[in-house]
Amino acid sequence: MRLFMLIFLVVFSACASNPSATSLTPEQRSAMLNMKVVESRFLPEGSYEILGTVEGLSCKRNAWSSEPPTEAEAMQGVMVRAAQLGADAVANVICEQHGQDWGRNCWSEVICVGDAISVSDKSLLEGQ
């Protein structure tokens, strides 16, 4: 029985995906809709705080699916996670496309990773 439970947990935890935007509070949804993607080198030193690393995933779950993974879907996951942390922006985002990833149960995938940040002077984000 324990072996069955272990296999069940491994299989279903491997199916990684983005959190749903429906899980956000109204304030978090507003933050996500206004979220900026920036490069920290364009922000003055000390003008922001890194709240955490955020990741988004776009995954082609089966071989016969005609829809390829997209950077836009992976970026949505980045922004949802950043909004959950209370971020104003996401900095230093890098996206990569990968082939098969059996750990995530994907035939192909796009992964985006960035830093969720809180900017002290919101006017710094206006030109971004």
Side-chain angles (χ1 to χ4, degrees):
M1 183 64 170
R2 287 184 188 190
L3 179 60
F4 174 75
M5 288 302 293
L6 179 62
I7 292 170
F8 177 81
L9 289 173
V10 168
V11 168
F12 286 100
S13 66
C15 297
S17 62
N18 296 322
S20 171
T22 60
S23 68
L24 299 176
T25 66
E27 294 81 16
Q28 290 171 330
R29 283 194 307 274
S30 177
M32 183 182 159
L33 290 172
N34 295 305
M35 188 83 48
K36 303 287 184 183
V37 178
V38 299
E39 291 184 43
S40 62
R41 65 184 174 154
F42 296 124
L43 296 172
E45 190 173 323
S47 66
Y48 64 93
E49 175 188 1
I50 296 176
L51 303 176
T53 300
V54 288
E55 179 179 293
L57 173 70
S58 180
C59 175
K60 182 176 180 179
R61 296 268 181 228
N62 51 52
W64 55 88
S65 173
S66 61
E67 295 298 318
T70 65
E71 190 172 307
E73 181 181 9
M75 281 303 299
Q76 181 176 353
V78 165
M79 291 185 184
V80 169
R81 286 191 168 95
Q84 288 173 328
L85 293 176
D88 305 309
V90 180
N92 309 317
V93 176
I94 296 174
C95 296
E96 296 179 335
Q97 185 162 0
H98 298 271
Q100 296 172 339
D101 183 344
W102 300 125
R104 287 191 168 106
N105 191 26
C106 298
W107 284 87
S108 62
E109 65 186 5
V110 174
I111 300 173
C112 294
V113 179
D115 300 319
I117 63 172
S118 176
V119 179
S120 56
D121 180 1
K122 308 303 184 227
S123 68
L124 294 171
L125 298 174
E126 289 176 10
Q128 302 289 326

mmCIF file of all heavy atoms in Angstrom, residues 16-55:
data_model
loop_
_atom_site.group_PDB
_atom_site.id
_atom_site.type_symbol
_atom_site.label_atom_id
_atom_site.label_comp_id
_atom_site.label_asym_id
_atom_site.label_seq_id
_atom_site.Cartn_x
_atom_site.Cartn_y
_atom_site.Cartn_z
ATOM 1 N N ALA A 16 3.648 19.239 -13.387
ATOM 2 C CA ALA A 16 3.755 20.650 -13.003
ATOM 3 C C ALA A 16 2.927 21.512 -13.947
ATOM 4 O O ALA A 16 2.767 21.214 -15.114
ATOM 5 C CB ALA A 16 5.212 21.077 -13.050
ATOM 6 N N SER A 17 2.395 22.585 -13.391
ATOM 7 C CA SER A 17 1.671 23.546 -14.210
ATOM 8 C C SER A 17 1.666 24.876 -13.489
ATOM 9 O O SER A 17 2.139 24.988 -12.363
ATOM 10 C CB SER A 17 0.242 23.067 -14.491
ATOM 11 O OG SER A 17 -0.464 22.937 -13.285
ATOM 12 N N ASN A 18 1.138 25.880 -14.142
ATOM 13 C CA ASN A 18 1.050 27.208 -13.549
ATOM 14 C C ASN A 18 -0.138 27.275 -12.605
ATOM 15 O O ASN A 18 -1.153 26.632 -12.833
ATOM 16 C CB ASN A 18 0.871 28.255 -14.650
ATOM 17 C CG ASN A 18 2.066 28.313 -15.557
ATOM 18 O OD1 ASN A 18 3.194 28.197 -15.124
ATOM 19 N ND2 ASN A 18 1.830 28.497 -16.838
ATOM 20 N N PRO A 19 -0.030 28.097 -11.566
ATOM 21 C CA PRO A 19 -1.207 28.302 -10.729
ATOM 22 C C PRO A 19 -2.268 29.047 -11.533
ATOM 23 O O PRO A 19 -1.953 29.819 -12.439
ATOM 24 C CB PRO A 19 -0.689 29.154 -9.571
ATOM 25 C CG PRO A 19 0.561 29.772 -10.064
ATOM 26 C CD PRO A 19 1.113 28.861 -11.114
ATOM 27 N N SER A 20 -3.501 28.820 -11.209
ATOM 28 C CA SER A 20 -4.600 29.462 -11.924
ATOM 29 C C SER A 20 -4.761 30.908 -11.475
ATOM 30 O O SER A 20 -4.630 31.223 -10.293
ATOM 31 C CB SER A 20 -5.897 28.694 -11.645
ATOM 32 O OG SER A 20 -6.994 29.399 -12.160
ATOM 33 N N ALA A 21 -5.059 31.783 -12.419
ATOM 34 C CA ALA A 21 -5.334 33.187 -12.083
ATOM 35 C C ALA A 21 -6.579 33.289 -11.212
ATOM 36 O O ALA A 21 -6.744 34.268 -10.477
ATOM 37 C CB ALA A 21 -5.491 34.011 -13.353
ATOM 38 N N THR A 22 -7.436 32.286 -11.242
ATOM 39 C CA THR A 22 -8.642 32.307 -10.411
ATOM 40 C C THR A 22 -8.306 32.152 -8.932
ATOM 41 O O THR A 22 -9.142 32.422 -8.080
ATOM 42 C CB THR A 22 -9.643 31.212 -10.822
ATOM 43 O OG1 THR A 22 -9.022 29.932 -10.673
ATOM 44 C CG2 THR A 22 -10.110 31.404 -12.251
ATOM 45 N N SER A 23 -7.078 31.726 -8.624
ATOM 46 C CA SER A 23 -6.661 31.586 -7.224
ATOM 47 C C SER A 23 -6.224 32.923 -6.624
ATOM 48 O O SER A 23 -5.975 33.001 -5.431
ATOM 49 C CB SER A 23 -5.520 30.576 -7.113
ATOM 50 O OG SER A 23 -4.348 31.091 -7.730
ATOM 51 N N LEU A 24 -6.153 33.972 -7.452
ATOM 52 C CA LEU A 24 -5.688 35.272 -6.987
ATOM 53 C C LEU A 24 -6.805 36.076 -6.330
ATOM 54 O O LEU A 24 -7.967 35.973 -6.722
ATOM 55 C CB LEU A 24 -5.116 36.082 -8.152
ATOM 56 C CG LEU A 24 -3.919 35.491 -8.889
ATOM 57 C CD1 LEU A 24 -3.546 36.358 -10.071
ATOM 58 C CD2 LEU A 24 -2.740 35.309 -7.951
ATOM 59 N N THR A 25 -6.424 36.881 -5.367
ATOM 60 C CA THR A 25 -7.369 37.819 -4.768
ATOM 61 C C THR A 25 -7.598 38.964 -5.758
ATOM 62 O O THR A 25 -6.823 39.130 -6.712
ATOM 63 C CB THR A 25 -6.802 38.401 -3.459
ATOM 64 O OG1 THR A 25 -5.654 39.204 -3.778
ATOM 65 C CG2 THR A 25 -6.441 37.308 -2.467
ATOM 66 N N PRO A 26 -8.624 39.787 -5.548
ATOM 67 C CA PRO A 26 -8.822 40.936 -6.438
ATOM 68 C C PRO A 26 -7.588 41.848 -6.511
ATOM 69 O O PRO A 26 -7.230 42.336 -7.589
ATOM 70 C CB PRO A 26 -10.014 41.670 -5.824
ATOM 71 C CG PRO A 26 -10.793 40.583 -5.147
ATOM 72 C CD PRO A 26 -9.750 39.654 -4.601
ATOM 73 N N GLU A 27 -6.922 42.057 -5.399
ATOM 74 C CA GLU A 27 -5.719 42.897 -5.380
ATOM 75 C C GLU A 27 -4.592 42.256 -6.189
ATOM 76 O O GLU A 27 -3.868 42.933 -6.917
ATOM 77 C CB GLU A 27 -5.250 43.150 -3.936
ATOM 78 C CG GLU A 27 -6.210 43.975 -3.113
ATOM 79 C CD GLU A 27 -7.383 43.162 -2.550
ATOM 80 O OE1 GLU A 27 -7.340 41.905 -2.524
ATOM 81 O OE2 GLU A 27 -8.372 43.797 -2.150
ATOM 82 N N GLN A 28 -4.437 40.951 -6.054
ATOM 83 C CA GLN A 28 -3.398 40.241 -6.800
ATOM 84 C C GLN A 28 -3.691 40.245 -8.301
ATOM 85 O O GLN A 28 -2.779 40.393 -9.113
ATOM 86 C CB GLN A 28 -3.261 38.806 -6.285
ATOM 87 C CG GLN A 28 -2.664 38.721 -4.895
ATOM 88 C CD GLN A 28 -2.739 37.319 -4.324
ATOM 89 O OE1 GLN A 28 -3.645 36.538 -4.636
ATOM 90 N NE2 GLN A 28 -1.791 36.989 -3.460
ATOM 91 N N ARG A 29 -4.981 40.102 -8.670
ATOM 92 C CA ARG A 29 -5.340 40.168 -10.102
ATOM 93 C C ARG A 29 -5.018 41.539 -10.671
ATOM 94 O O ARG A 29 -4.501 41.663 -11.784
ATOM 95 C CB ARG A 29 -6.816 39.819 -10.308
ATOM 96 C CG ARG A 29 -7.113 38.336 -10.217
ATOM 97 C CD ARG A 29 -8.502 37.985 -10.745
ATOM 98 N NE ARG A 29 -9.579 38.756 -10.154
ATOM 99 C CZ ARG A 29 -10.198 38.442 -9.022
ATOM 100 N NH1 ARG A 29 -9.830 37.363 -8.349
ATOM 101 N NH2 ARG A 29 -11.183 39.181 -8.556
ATOM 102 N N SER A 30 -5.317 42.590 -9.916
ATOM 103 C CA SER A 30 -5.002 43.945 -10.356
ATOM 104 C C SER A 30 -3.491 44.113 -10.534
ATOM 105 O O SER A 30 -3.034 44.681 -11.529
ATOM 106 C CB SER A 30 -5.540 44.956 -9.350
ATOM 107 O OG SER A 30 -5.190 46.260 -9.736
ATOM 108 N N ALA A 31 -2.729 43.595 -9.579
ATOM 109 C CA ALA A 31 -1.266 43.669 -9.674
ATOM 110 C C ALA A 31 -0.764 42.922 -10.897
ATOM 111 O O ALA A 31 0.125 43.395 -11.611
ATOM 112 C CB ALA A 31 -0.625 43.113 -8.405
ATOM 113 N N MET A 32 -1.352 41.754 -11.168
ATOM 114 C CA MET A 32 -0.928 40.970 -12.325
ATOM 115 C C MET A 32 -1.220 41.717 -13.626
ATOM 116 O O MET A 32 -0.403 41.730 -14.538
ATOM 117 C CB MET A 32 -1.617 39.610 -12.329
ATOM 118 C CG MET A 32 -1.160 38.731 -13.459
ATOM 119 S SD MET A 32 -2.051 37.180 -13.440
ATOM 120 C CE MET A 32 -1.804 36.675 -15.127
ATOM 121 N N LEU A 33 -2.390 42.343 -13.714
ATOM 122 C CA LEU A 33 -2.749 43.067 -14.933
ATOM 123 C C LEU A 33 -1.840 44.277 -15.170
ATOM 124 O O LEU A 33 -1.660 44.698 -16.310
ATOM 125 C CB LEU A 33 -4.209 43.512 -14.875
ATOM 126 C CG LEU A 33 -5.228 42.388 -14.976
ATOM 127 C CD1 LEU A 33 -6.630 42.914 -14.706
ATOM 128 C CD2 LEU A 33 -5.161 41.730 -16.352
ATOM 129 N N ASN A 34 -1.280 44.829 -14.096
ATOM 130 C CA ASN A 34 -0.393 45.989 -14.206
ATOM 131 C C ASN A 34 1.084 45.625 -14.110
ATOM 132 O O ASN A 34 1.931 46.502 -14.064
ATOM 133 C CB ASN A 34 -0.746 47.011 -13.117
ATOM 134 C CG ASN A 34 -2.131 47.577 -13.331
ATOM 135 O OD1 ASN A 34 -2.438 48.094 -14.389
ATOM 136 N ND2 ASN A 34 -2.975 47.452 -12.323
ATOM 137 N N MET A 35 1.379 44.333 -14.071
ATOM 138 C CA MET A 35 2.742 43.846 -13.891
ATOM 139 C C MET A 35 3.632 44.260 -15.065
ATOM 140 O O MET A 35 3.233 44.128 -16.221
ATOM 141 C CB MET A 35 2.719 42.322 -13.775
ATOM 142 C CG MET A 35 4.017 41.682 -13.398
ATOM 143 S SD MET A 35 4.407 41.651 -11.644
ATOM 144 C CE MET A 35 2.941 41.049 -10.871
ATOM 145 N N LYS A 36 4.813 44.750 -14.752
ATOM 146 C CA LYS A 36 5.801 45.127 -15.754
ATOM 147 C C LYS A 36 6.917 44.094 -15.756
ATOM 148 O O LYS A 36 7.254 43.521 -14.718
ATOM 149 C CB LYS A 36 6.406 46.497 -15.460
ATOM 150 C CG LYS A 36 5.396 47.613 -15.366
ATOM 151 C CD LYS A 36 4.864 47.972 -16.716
ATOM 152 C CE LYS A 36 3.921 49.167 -16.588
ATOM 153 N NZ LYS A 36 3.304 49.536 -17.802
ATOM 154 N N VAL A 37 7.496 43.869 -16.920
ATOM 155 C CA VAL A 37 8.679 43.025 -17.046
ATOM 156 C C VAL A 37 9.835 43.976 -17.327
ATOM 157 O O VAL A 37 9.799 44.730 -18.295
ATOM 158 C CB VAL A 37 8.515 41.987 -18.171
ATOM 159 C CG1 VAL A 37 9.774 41.157 -18.312
ATOM 160 C CG2 VAL A 37 7.304 41.093 -17.907
ATOM 161 N N VAL A 38 10.832 43.970 -16.446
ATOM 162 C CA VAL A 38 11.937 44.923 -16.537
ATOM 163 C C VAL A 38 13.271 44.192 -16.406
ATOM 164 O O VAL A 38 13.323 43.027 -16.024
ATOM 165 C CB VAL A 38 11.846 46.002 -15.436
ATOM 166 C CG1 VAL A 38 10.559 46.795 -15.556
ATOM 167 C CG2 VAL A 38 11.954 45.399 -14.053
ATOM 168 N N GLU A 39 14.330 44.921 -16.698
ATOM 169 C CA GLU A 39 15.676 44.449 -16.417
ATOM 170 C C GLU A 39 16.187 45.286 -15.257
ATOM 171 O O GLU A 39 16.117 46.515 -15.295
ATOM 172 C CB GLU A 39 16.572 44.602 -17.638
ATOM 173 C CG GLU A 39 16.199 43.665 -18.772
ATOM 174 C CD GLU A 39 17.166 43.764 -19.934
ATOM 175 O OE1 GLU A 39 18.387 43.825 -19.690
ATOM 176 O OE2 GLU A 39 16.687 43.773 -21.069
ATOM 177 N N SER A 40 16.684 44.634 -14.229
ATOM 178 C CA SER A 40 17.088 45.359 -13.024
ATOM 179 C C SER A 40 18.204 46.357 -13.307
ATOM 180 O O SER A 40 18.332 47.353 -12.604
ATOM 181 C CB SER A 40 17.502 44.386 -11.921
ATOM 182 O OG SER A 40 18.613 43.616 -12.323
ATOM 183 N N ARG A 41 18.970 46.147 -14.351
ATOM 184 C CA ARG A 41 20.054 47.091 -14.658
ATOM 185 C C ARG A 41 19.523 48.471 -15.031
ATOM 186 O O ARG A 41 20.256 49.446 -15.007
ATOM 187 C CB ARG A 41 20.951 46.544 -15.763
ATOM 188 C CG ARG A 41 20.247 46.390 -17.094
ATOM 189 C CD ARG A 41 21.135 45.765 -18.119
ATOM 190 N NE ARG A 41 20.365 45.523 -19.330
ATOM 191 C CZ ARG A 41 20.875 45.465 -20.517
ATOM 192 N NH1 ARG A 41 22.167 45.629 -20.678
ATOM 193 N NH2 ARG A 41 20.111 45.232 -21.554
ATOM 194 N N PHE A 42 18.241 48.565 -15.390
ATOM 195 C CA PHE A 42 17.642 49.851 -15.723
ATOM 196 C C PHE A 42 16.989 50.527 -14.513
ATOM 197 O O PHE A 42 16.433 51.610 -14.635
ATOM 198 C CB PHE A 42 16.617 49.706 -16.853
ATOM 199 C CG PHE A 42 17.240 49.265 -18.153
ATOM 200 C CD1 PHE A 42 16.798 48.125 -18.799
ATOM 201 C CD2 PHE A 42 18.270 49.987 -18.729
ATOM 202 C CE1 PHE A 42 17.369 47.715 -19.994
ATOM 203 C CE2 PHE A 42 18.850 49.588 -19.925
ATOM 204 C CZ PHE A 42 18.403 48.451 -20.555
ATOM 205 N N LEU A 43 17.054 49.877 -13.368
ATOM 206 C CA LEU A 43 16.506 50.449 -12.142
ATOM 207 C C LEU A 43 17.662 50.882 -11.244
ATOM 208 O O LEU A 43 18.670 50.170 -11.132
ATOM 209 C CB LEU A 43 15.640 49.431 -11.401
ATOM 210 C CG LEU A 43 14.383 48.948 -12.123
ATOM 211 C CD1 LEU A 43 13.739 47.806 -11.342
ATOM 212 C CD2 LEU A 43 13.408 50.084 -12.323
ATOM 213 N N PRO A 44 17.555 52.039 -10.598
ATOM 214 C CA PRO A 44 18.625 52.480 -9.699
ATOM 215 C C PRO A 44 18.860 51.470 -8.576
ATOM 216 O O PRO A 44 17.917 50.866 -8.058
ATOM 217 C CB PRO A 44 18.105 53.799 -9.133
ATOM 218 C CG PRO A 44 17.042 54.250 -10.070
ATOM 219 C CD PRO A 44 16.460 53.013 -10.677
ATOM 220 N N GLU A 45 20.117 51.314 -8.205
ATOM 221 C CA GLU A 45 20.463 50.397 -7.124
ATOM 222 C C GLU A 45 19.741 50.818 -5.844
ATOM 223 O O GLU A 45 19.656 51.999 -5.518
ATOM 224 C CB GLU A 45 21.971 50.417 -6.886
ATOM 225 C CG GLU A 45 22.435 49.329 -5.961
ATOM 226 C CD GLU A 45 23.949 49.250 -5.866
ATOM 227 O OE1 GLU A 45 24.618 49.455 -6.896
ATOM 228 O OE2 GLU A 45 24.432 48.980 -4.761
ATOM 229 N N GLY A 46 19.165 49.852 -5.168
ATOM 230 C CA GLY A 46 18.455 50.117 -3.924
ATOM 231 C C GLY A 46 17.015 50.562 -4.108
ATOM 232 O O GLY A 46 16.320 50.825 -3.132
ATOM 233 N N SER A 47 16.539 50.624 -5.366
ATOM 234 C CA SER A 47 15.172 51.091 -5.610
ATOM 235 C C SER A 47 14.153 49.950 -5.628
ATOM 236 O O SER A 47 12.971 50.193 -5.818
ATOM 237 C CB SER A 47 15.101 51.852 -6.934
ATOM 238 O OG SER A 47 15.349 50.976 -8.026
ATOM 239 N N TYR A 48 14.614 48.726 -5.428
ATOM 240 C CA TYR A 48 13.697 47.584 -5.444
ATOM 241 C C TYR A 48 14.193 46.508 -4.497
ATOM 242 O O TYR A 48 15.357 46.474 -4.104
ATOM 243 C CB TYR A 48 13.546 47.010 -6.855
ATOM 244 C CG TYR A 48 14.826 46.436 -7.419
ATOM 245 C CD1 TYR A 48 15.116 45.097 -7.265
ATOM 246 C CD2 TYR A 48 15.741 47.246 -8.092
ATOM 247 C CE1 TYR A 48 16.301 44.562 -7.766
ATOM 248 C CE2 TYR A 48 16.915 46.726 -8.601
ATOM 249 C CZ TYR A 48 17.187 45.387 -8.428
ATOM 250 O OH TYR A 48 18.359 44.867 -8.922
ATOM 251 N N GLU A 49 13.265 45.632 -4.134
ATOM 252 C CA GLU A 49 13.569 44.489 -3.282
ATOM 253 C C GLU A 49 13.141 43.229 -4.013
ATOM 254 O O GLU A 49 12.036 43.167 -4.568
ATOM 255 C CB GLU A 49 12.791 44.610 -1.970
ATOM 256 C CG GLU A 49 12.926 43.419 -1.058
ATOM 257 C CD GLU A 49 12.002 43.472 0.149
ATOM 258 O OE1 GLU A 49 11.224 44.440 0.294
ATOM 259 O OE2 GLU A 49 12.041 42.520 0.938
ATOM 260 N N ILE A 50 14.003 42.237 -4.032
ATOM 261 C CA ILE A 50 13.658 40.951 -4.646
ATOM 262 C C ILE A 50 12.842 40.153 -3.632
ATOM 263 O O ILE A 50 13.296 39.882 -2.525
ATOM 264 C CB ILE A 50 14.904 40.165 -5.080
ATOM 265 C CG1 ILE A 50 15.656 40.935 -6.169
ATOM 266 C CG2 ILE A 50 14.506 38.770 -5.579
ATOM 267 C CD1 ILE A 50 16.956 40.292 -6.603
ATOM 268 N N LEU A 51 11.618 39.792 -4.025
ATOM 269 C CA LEU A 51 10.713 39.046 -3.149
ATOM 270 C C LEU A 51 10.887 37.539 -3.292
ATOM 271 O O LEU A 51 10.496 36.779 -2.406
ATOM 272 C CB LEU A 51 9.263 39.431 -3.447
ATOM 273 C CG LEU A 51 8.937 40.919 -3.331
ATOM 274 C CD1 LEU A 51 7.502 41.180 -3.747
ATOM 275 C CD2 LEU A 51 9.204 41.415 -1.922
ATOM 276 N N GLY A 52 11.429 37.117 -4.425
ATOM 277 C CA GLY A 52 11.637 35.696 -4.653
ATOM 278 C C GLY A 52 11.781 35.388 -6.123
ATOM 279 O O GLY A 52 11.509 36.226 -6.984
ATOM 280 N N THR A 53 12.212 34.190 -6.414
ATOM 281 C CA THR A 53 12.315 33.703 -7.785
ATOM 282 C C THR A 53 10.979 33.096 -8.180
ATOM 283 O O THR A 53 10.365 32.377 -7.392
ATOM 284 C CB THR A 53 13.426 32.649 -7.902
ATOM 285 O OG1 THR A 53 14.668 33.252 -7.521
ATOM 286 C CG2 THR A 53 13.536 32.114 -9.313
ATOM 287 N N VAL A 54 10.532 33.420 -9.388
ATOM 288 C CA VAL A 54 9.259 32.888 -9.879
ATOM 289 C C VAL A 54 9.491 32.162 -11.195
ATOM 290 O O VAL A 54 10.353 32.532 -11.977
ATOM 291 C CB VAL A 54 8.202 34.001 -10.034
ATOM 292 C CG1 VAL A 54 7.722 34.483 -8.687
ATOM 293 C CG2 VAL A 54 8.736 35.169 -10.846
ATOM 294 N N GLU A 55 8.702 31.119 -11.414
ATOM 295 C CA GLU A 55 8.839 30.295 -12.617
ATOM 296 C C GLU A 55 7.471 30.074 -13.247
ATOM 297 O O GLU A 55 6.474 29.925 -12.548
ATOM 298 C CB GLU A 55 9.453 28.948 -12.242
ATOM 299 C CG GLU A 55 9.623 28.005 -13.405
ATOM 300 C CD GLU A 55 10.257 26.690 -12.992
ATOM 301 O OE1 GLU A 55 11.429 26.682 -12.598
ATOM 302 O OE2 GLU A 55 9.552 25.658 -13.064
#
